[in-house]
Amino acid sequence: MPYVRTVKTKSGATAVQVVWSSQRGSRSIEHIGSAHDEAELEALKAAARQKIAAGQLELDLGLQAAGPSGPLPVTSSRMGHLLDALDRGYRVLGLDEAAGGDEVFRLLVAARVIEPVSKLDSLRVLEEAGTAAPSYATVKRRLPAYAKEEWRQRLSEACAAHARLGPASLVLYDVSTLYFETGQGDGFREPGYSKERRLEPQITIGLLTGQAGFPLMLPAFEGDKGETKTMLPVIREFMAAHQLPDVTVVADAGMISDANMKAIEAEGLSFILGMKVPDVPYLIAQWRREHPGEEIPDGHVFTQPWPAGPKDNRRDQVIYYQYRADRARRALHGIDEQVKKAQKAVNGLAPVKRNRFIQLEGAVKSVNRELEAKARALAGIKGHKTNLAATPDGEPVTADFVISSYHELRNIEKSFRMSKSDLQARPIYHRKRDSIDAHLNIVFAALAVSRWIEARTGWSIRKFVKTARRYREIKIQAGQHVITAADPVPDDLRQALDAINHPR
């Protein structure tokens, strides 16, 4: 292969030569000329390169016709991997069909996952992602359609179909609140009990999910509506919409009032409920009498059957009381701290604040030692009540099944955290009921796509978006030709994308 070399002559000049070498080791040299300064040397090197390139074909990209030399223009830049993954999840879940192929809704859902901002700023997010964004006028015109009850029901049906719910499937239910920075209520946004301890008007949202925390419904209620009054309407609506004869409701003790409990039993619903334990159960007191001075073994479960009487309008129930040493340690630490504060208040060393261990009899303050002893006796005990006779798989119900099912509530708590942090569900920029409902339906669809991606990849949605958005597909105009380039994808992201695009 020929190459250019420079050598020094006896006169001190620099000679430029073209050298042809063969695979057999022989070579021939053609002398191009000698130069005495830099300008002459560069001219001789250019002549040598022309000599080497003589007769070779050139790829005409039309760059000379395009104008003066310089950087080639980038005609488009797209977050291809991220956008394609979001679109894949949206369509696999059936949300595209549920939305009637509405492209604006799909883009708003994608923007909510990429960077949750206002509807107006979502257009900027979409443009930065490299996809054509609708006009703001189009978005405002479409929002009333997204607020309709039929729209919410179709989204819920798509998610329920993906979850493959069957008779007695486990569903998790919990509520939260979203506040508004306004001082006036309007019948929907009203002051009420706030999970965030705020005084502003708020709305109450209920979230119904499958066992793994995949969203099934996200209804909204008035801000002053009690939490316990939201569960049964949601369950009834969901069962009627999907023609389910029964579901097993899993909920925390805070969701269950006496009226709720009676209504659930009257409905004939299956349930696994956390329950408050106001007094030491008889089984635990008996065990302590029979084992004086001993600690209850960690993880020990006390089983108390509670059969229905002939006049009771309910099924037979079982209560499982579980003792956990770590739970007891945390509870006892809290009791110690509260008792210390109560004693300081009684001694006049601290102001009297809300403390359950302070006992007031007229103007006399004292520490309620009886209540303290009762609290210590209950430390580490958690109650779980169920009326299930068999699991959804037809197997006999066990304490492990009931308690582990109750612990699945952490999945719905994760979905709530995602909706509030990753998707910023609080409708800051909305005031009217239709706009709020439309916003929550977009958040619901974004939550479904996010949970689907998390289930496929094992990554958090925040990590996936933060990683995938850095790798773009770029198109470059080179004369009459368009060249496509892409950032190389690291192995971990490649595996995550393969799990999304080629699920097993």
Side-chain angles (χ1 to χ4, degrees), residues 21-92:
S21 299
S22 68
Q23 293 180 348
R24 297 180 179 179
S26 61
R27 64 180 183 172
S28 60
I29 299 174
E30 181 177 346
H31 183 72
I32 302 299
S34 299
H36 296 277
D37 56 31
E38 289 294 330
E40 291 179 349
L41 180 61
E42 289 301 321
L44 290 175
K45 286 182 178 180
R49 286 192 289 270
Q50 291 178 357
K51 187 77 173 178
I52 293 174
Q56 293 186 14
L57 298 177
E58 294 183 355
L59 176 61
D60 183 13
L61 297 177
L63 299 179
Q64 295 178 349
S69 61
L72 298 176
V74 175
T75 58
S76 69
S77 177
R78 180 175 179 268
M79 299 177 188
H81 299 299
L82 177 56
L83 290 173
D84 292 345
L86 296 177
D87 184 64
R88 169 77 174 171
Y90 186 83
R91 297 183 189 281
V92 167

Side-chain angles (χ1 to χ4, degrees), residues 64-197:
Q64 295 178 349
S69 61
L72 298 176
V74 175
T75 58
S76 69
S77 177
R78 180 175 179 268
M79 299 177 188
H81 299 299
L82 177 56
L83 290 173
D84 292 345
L86 296 177
D87 184 64
R88 169 77 174 171
Y90 186 83
R91 297 183 189 281
V92 167
L93 295 176
L95 298 176
D96 185 53
E97 184 177 350
D102 192 295
E103 193 67 7
V104 176
F105 185 79
R106 183 185 69 83
L107 291 173
L108 290 176
V109 170
R112 176 62 41 178
V113 179
I114 296 171
E115 184 181 341
V117 289
S118 67
K119 299 298 178 291
L120 177 60
D121 209 19
S122 293
L123 308 183
R124 185 264 309 167
V125 173
L126 292 171
E127 289 175 355
E128 289 181 356
T131 188
S135 67
Y136 186 53
T138 300
V139 172
K140 291 193 295 183
R141 187 170 62 251
R142 295 297 301 152
L143 284 180
Y146 307 154
K148 291 182 178 179
E149 181 66 19
E150 296 82 6
W151 194 278
R152 181 174 71 85
Q153 289 177 352
R154 291 201 301 270
L155 296 178
S156 177
E157 288 173 2
C159 290
H162 176 76
R164 298 180 180 178
L165 296 181
S169 294
L170 290 175
V171 294
L172 315 178
Y173 184 76
D174 203 354
V175 300
S176 189
T177 54
L178 302 174
Y179 71 92
F180 294 79
E181 294 175 353
T182 179
Q184 298 295 326
D186 56 12
F188 180 52
R189 300 177 298 162
E190 290 290 338
Y193 174 75
S194 172
K195 297 265 187 180
E196 301 170 19
R197 301 183 182 275

